Amino acid sequence: MSWLILAIAVVTEICWALSLKWAATVATWQASSVPIILSFVNMGLLALAMRGLPAGTAYAVWTGLGAVGVIIGGIFLFGDKVSTVQACFMALTVIGVVGTKLFAQG
C-alpha cells in the first residue's frame, strides 16, 4: 500500500511543479493557490508513504520520477525542449528508480 501512496505522491509532485509555471503565467491569486494546496497534499502523501518505506527509498523514487515527469510534462504543456543527451540521462534516472524499487527493503 505504501508504494501505491508513493505513486500518487509522485503524480501530485509532478502536478505541483507544473502548476508553479502555470500559476506564474496566469498570475492570479486563484492560480497561485493551486501549487500551495498541492504542496500540502504532496507532502502529506510522501509522509504517509514513508510510514511503510525507508525514507531514503521513498525520497529517491519521489524526486527521481517527479523530475522526469516534470520534464515530460513541460515538453507537452509548455513546449520545453529536451536534447538527446538529456533524454538519455532521464532514462538513467528511471533505471535508477526501478533498481531502487526492486531492491527496496519495504
Side-chain angles (χ1 to χ4, degrees), residues 18-28 31-32 77-78:
L18 293 170
S19 74
L20 286 173
K21 184 164 184 171
W22 170 76
T25 61
V26 175
T28 65
S32 297
L77 296 174
F78 304 113

Side-chain angles (χ1 to χ4, degrees), residues 38-57:
L38 284 173
S39 68
F40 284 106
V41 173
N42 189 17
M43 290 296 134
L45 288 168
L46 179 60
L48 191 59
M50 284 185 178
R51 287 184 180 177
L53 297 170
T57 300

Side-chain angles (χ1 to χ4, degrees), residues 4-76:
L4 177 61
I5 294 168
L6 184 58
I8 297 168
V10 168
V11 171
T12 59
E13 170 74 358
I14 294 165
C15 292
W16 167 79
L18 293 170
S19 74
L20 286 173
K21 184 164 184 171
W22 170 76
T25 61
V26 175
T28 65
W29 71 268
Q30 295 94 337
S32 297
S33 67
V34 172
I36 294 169
I37 293 166
L38 284 173
S39 68
F40 284 106
V41 173
N42 189 17
M43 290 296 134
L45 288 168
L46 179 60
L48 191 59
M50 284 185 178
R51 287 184 180 177
L53 297 170
T57 300
Y59 189 72
V61 170
W62 181 72
T63 56
L65 293 182
V68 171
V70 170
I71 293 168
I72 293 169
I75 292 167
F76 288 107

